[in-house]
Amino acid sequence: MPHRSMPALLAATALTTLAALASPSLAAEPLAPIRLNQVGVLESAGKLAVLPDASTSPLAWTLENKDGRLVAKGQTRVVGPDAASGESLHQIDFSAAPAGYGYRLKVGQRTSRPFAVDAHPYARLKRDALAFFYQNRSGIAIEARFGDDPKLARPAAHAPDRATCFNGQDQRGQVWAGCGYELNASKGWYDAGDHGKYVVNGGIAVWTLVNYHERLSALGRKADFADGSQRIPEAGNGVSDLLDEARWELEFLLRMQVPQGTAMDLPIGKQGQGQLALTPVDASGMAHQKLTDAYWTGVPTAPHEDPAQRYLFHPTTGATLNLAAVAAQCARVWKDVDPAFSARCLKTARSAFDAARRNPEIYAHSQFNGGGGYGDGELSDELFWAAAELWATTGEAAYGEVVRASPHMPAAGKPAEAPGWGSTSTLGVVSLALSDKVPAQVRDAARAGLEAAADRYAAEGLQAGYRLPDAGTRYVWGSNGVVMNRAMVLGLAYDFTGKPAYRQAAADAMDYVLGRNPLDQSYVTGWGARPMKHPHHRFWVGKGKYPAPPPGVISGGPNNTAFSDEVAKKMQGKCAAQTCWTDSIDAFTQNEVAINWNAPFFWVAAFLDEGR
């Protein structure tokens, strides 16, 4: 489900014609006949390349080293017609190849680019993926010394980010009364290519970063990203740089809470597309859905150039449960790092959870210009997630009762699902699987649910022509984020079971986004022979005073379910699922970037770099 409001994105105030700013062409490097990971094939996993070819018989292949000497040879495996790519495929398994560089695969007259087999191809990539978040910080100057391109530096924007509630008519004529207070909701990360900040998308993104740290600690392993390992202002403060980066977002989220003693007219229950019925409620402790501009700004617009009035938009139950969940996670992770901050997080988590229970059906509405709606009509998963996080933090039976009563409660034979901003129950399952505060049978059931999901994703990978953990033909807005979230579930299941097939399937997911796909495209800026170059972003335009994107930014990826931008419209009905993508700043349905996609991309790159 797209997280952007279609009418708003297409508004004349939002998007100008960008043909003069960036070419929609893929890349200067020509298409290679043999498709494989362009960054480096992971030495400790199986090694696979894909050859589009209509032959129904196996073909002979050879692998030569940098000196042209034969290292391995074999026969391709015939896959045949592949609906997702629209191609007829062969797979080349060269898993016996040792570490080295300058390798070339050959099939007849067709030759791959030179490539490496490397023990740690993602050692730098994981740090670039994490640096994405610093580069998208709100409320602080982005310094040249912390980036690869001096043009990435920019003055502090939205500092402070003070706003009151939207008051006036929305796009459908609904009148909102506003509120009698302002919040200083400074800090946080800009959500995507625009300058909005959203609680529901910030929740899953920051949870994913903190979970990477927490899982290593829970499993008794030394966490990477020690103090000073990242290029951020907080380096040298004695705290993990990963936690420092996550805290920047948490500080924003904690500030989005409605003050105590606040009554507000809000829409209760699922209502139609007409005028909303607003009812006075006690909104104390709820979380505002988002803080965005009053209208969509044009492209390009740097954050510090943003001229628009900014508003808080009405609190929702979904945002409130997101706040409760990540604040509870914060409380246990920062307990020994910063006890005062931990206590603040726990107090916020409790009050937000109570507020959501008091107001269980206040849904988001997307009829506002200037920001995505993140509408979600099913909140049982958010309730489960928040209760699970609080149970894992406090061990208190009251939260356990909510978890046990939920339809999302882990049970034998019940697989978890890959998480997404609108499907958060698996985040709670993961925290239960890591917790020593919940009963052992609950922890075991959570781990079994992750294992069942991993079994499914690994099996799908073996069915997919390009060997990624998704055998379907429906690629949604942010499909690369879906693939990375599946890979994260696979990584967690590997933690608990040690089954090599799970780690292999996660490695296959990374191979896919880094070039083993029908477009021969690395969907990551700065990495690979054909990297993504022109994301939909208001600052990373790459023309004039505006910088090109930093390395380590993942594209949303192929999308054959939404064709609402002008680039995509021309492709509708003409592209196979995995080829509905263009490297164009205009292609927001295909080439947008966002915090909730870079977070699992970071997680998976870091997981694979652990070398287990």
Side-chain angles (χ1 to χ4, degrees):
M1 178 179 179
H3 67 262
R4 289 286 182 251
S5 168
M6 300 296 182
L9 275 170
L10 296 174
T13 57
L15 298 174
T16 58
T17 299
L18 301 173
L21 296 177
S23 167
S25 61
L26 285 176
E29 175 79 18
L31 199 74
I34 299 174
R35 317 285 162 71
L36 44 68
N37 187 321
Q38 298 171 14
V39 170
V41 178
L42 188 63
E43 180 191 13
S44 58
K47 304 164 186 68
L48 192 80
V50 176
L51 170 72
D53 192 286
S55 172
T56 58
S57 300
L59 302 172
W61 61 265
T62 59
L63 177 67
E64 297 178 356
N65 67 13
K66 61 183 177 61
D67 299 319
R69 295 177 182 173
L70 182 68
V71 174
K73 63 181 180 179
Q75 297 283 311
T76 63
R77 173 182 174 269
V78 180
V79 175
D82 176 59
S85 66
E87 299 172 318
S88 190
L89 302 176
H90 289 235
Q91 294 175 347
I92 302 169
D93 188 336
F94 57 102
S95 295
Y101 63 94
Y103 285 120
R104 286 182 185 271
L105 279 166
K106 294 184 177 181
V107 180
Q109 299 301 308
R110 288 164 291 187
T111 304
S112 73
R113 297 186 192 91
F115 67 91
V117 173
D118 192 345
H120 292 284
Y122 310 132
R124 173 63 189 272
L125 176 59
K126 67 183 183 183
R127 301 195 182 281
D128 284 349
L130 182 57
F132 165 92
F133 296 92
Y134 169 71
Q135 294 292 337
N136 279 285
R137 284 190 189 184
S138 172
I140 190 173
I142 303 303
E143 299 182 51
R145 64 192 175 110
F146 297 134
D148 295 325
D149 179 357
K151 292 173 78 172
L152 289 165
R154 54 178 170 82
H158 308 116
D161 209 356
R162 298 190 67 90
T164 189
C165 303
F166 177 80
N167 57 335
Q169 288 189 354
D170 63 23
Q171 290 179 300
R172 295 189 309 195
Q174 179 75 43
V175 176
W176 298 85
C179 59
Y181 59 84
E182 282 188 341
L183 294 182
N184 179 5
S186 297
K187 298 189 176 182
W189 305 314
Y190 297 120
D191 182 70
D194 59 281
H195 304 136
K197 300 189 296 189
Y198 304 79
V199 172
V200 291
N201 215 40
I204 188 172
V206 77
W207 181 95
T208 301
L209 297 194
V210 176
N211 172 261
Y212 180 77
H213 175 93
E214 185 176 22
R215 63 170 273 275
L216 288 182
S217 300
L219 296 168
R221 302 184 191 130
K222 184 178 179 181
D224 204 349
F225 304 96
D227 183 33
S229 61
Q230 288 289 117
R231 294 182 291 174
I232 58 174
E234 295 84 2
N237 67 354
V239 176
S240 159
D241 287 349
L242 175 56
L243 294 186
D244 280 333
E245 190 57 65
R247 182 166 177 166
W248 194 264
E249 177 71 4
L250 286 166
E251 293 274 10
F252 154 70
L253 295 172
L254 296 175
R255 294 174 179 183
M256 287 291 280
Q257 200 169 26
V258 174
Q260 292 298 311
T262 300
M264 194 176 291
D265 292 346
L266 296 174
I268 298 177
K270 295 180 180 179
Q271 302 188 34
Q273 297 299 309
Q275 292 289 297
L276 300 172
L278 303 182
T279 304
V281 303
D282 176 6
S284 305
M286 295 190 74
H288 286 276
Q289 178 80 356
K290 59 187 178 180
L291 177 106
T292 72
D293 290 345
Y295 58 87
W296 289 103
T297 55
V299 181
T301 302
H304 61 281
E305 297 171 337
D306 182 5
Q309 175 75 40
R310 291 168 73 76
Y311 288 105
L312 300 166
F313 290 84
H314 73 273
T316 66
T317 305
T320 305
L321 290 168
N322 265 261
L323 175 60
V326 298
Q329 182 196 43
C330 163
R332 63 177 181 266
V333 173
W334 266 266
K335 183 177 180 181
D336 296 325
V337 177
D338 186 337
F341 185 58
S342 170
R344 177 186 167 201
C345 284
L346 184 56
K347 181 179 179 181
T348 297
R350 291 184 186 277
S351 62
F353 189 80
D354 291 345
R357 296 290 274 170
R358 189 173 64 248
N359 297 300
E361 291 189 285
I362 298 178
Y363 297 96
H365 292 273
S366 60
Q367 66 271 24
F368 301 104
N369 198 358
Y374 285 103
D376 187 353
E378 179 53 64
L379 301 178
S380 64
D381 52 320
E382 280 81 7
L383 176 61
F384 170 83
W385 175 32
E389 297 293 347
L390 277 158
W391 196 18
T393 297
T394 68
E396 293 175 11
Y399 298 120
E401 289 173 4
V402 177
V403 170
R404 291 181 188 277
S406 171
H408 305 285
M409 172 67 185
K414 181 180 178 181
E417 294 291 338
W421 66 262
S423 303
T424 58
S425 61
T426 295
L427 307 182
V429 172
V430 171
S431 292
L432 294 175
L434 291 169
S435 177
D436 60 1
K437 291 285 185 72
V438 303
Q441 63 268 30
V442 172
R443 184 169 59 252
D444 292 343
R447 293 184 179 190
L450 294 169
E451 184 176 359
D455 284 336
R456 173 187 159 194
Y457 299 147
E460 286 195 42
L462 295 177
Q463 298 168 20
Y466 273 92
R467 191 66 70 81
L468 70 153
D470 187 342
T473 56
R474 186 175 187 272
Y475 278 60
V476 299
W477 196 330
S479 65
N480 282 343
V482 174
V483 171
M484 289 293 99
N485 275 309
R486 288 187 169 204
M488 184 173 71
V489 170
L490 285 157
L492 287 157
Y494 176 78
D495 282 342
F496 301 133
T497 67
K499 291 185 179 179
Y502 299 159
R503 185 171 183 271
Q504 178 60 55
D508 285 329
M510 189 64 81
D511 286 341
Y512 166 77
V513 300
L514 292 175
R516 197 178 71 199
N517 55 61
L519 296 177
D520 185 35
Q521 181 70 46
S522 168
Y523 290 111
V524 179
T525 55
W527 287 88
R530 291 164 55 86
M532 185 263 283
K533 295 183 177 181
H534 306 297
H536 178 71
H537 197 276
R538 280 163 172 71
F539 183 48
W540 299 337
V541 172
K543 293 288 183 179
K545 67 179 182 178
Y546 298 98
V553 180
I554 193 169
S555 167
N559 180 356
N560 70 337
T561 64
F563 294 89
S564 51
D565 64 64
E566 294 303 314
V567 174
K569 283 179 182 177
K570 298 175 183 177
M571 302 173 69
Q572 189 166 8
K574 302 175 183 177
C575 53
Q578 290 177 350
T579 66
C580 292
W581 184 84
T582 307
D583 189 7
S584 169
I585 195 171
D586 288 313
F588 55 81
T589 62
Q590 303 170 356
N591 210 30
E592 186 180 35
V593 298
I595 56 176
N596 62 312
W597 304 332
N598 242 78
F601 174 61
F602 153 77
W603 195 106
V604 177
F607 164 78
L608 292 172
D609 192 56
E610 292 167 16
R612 296 177 290 111

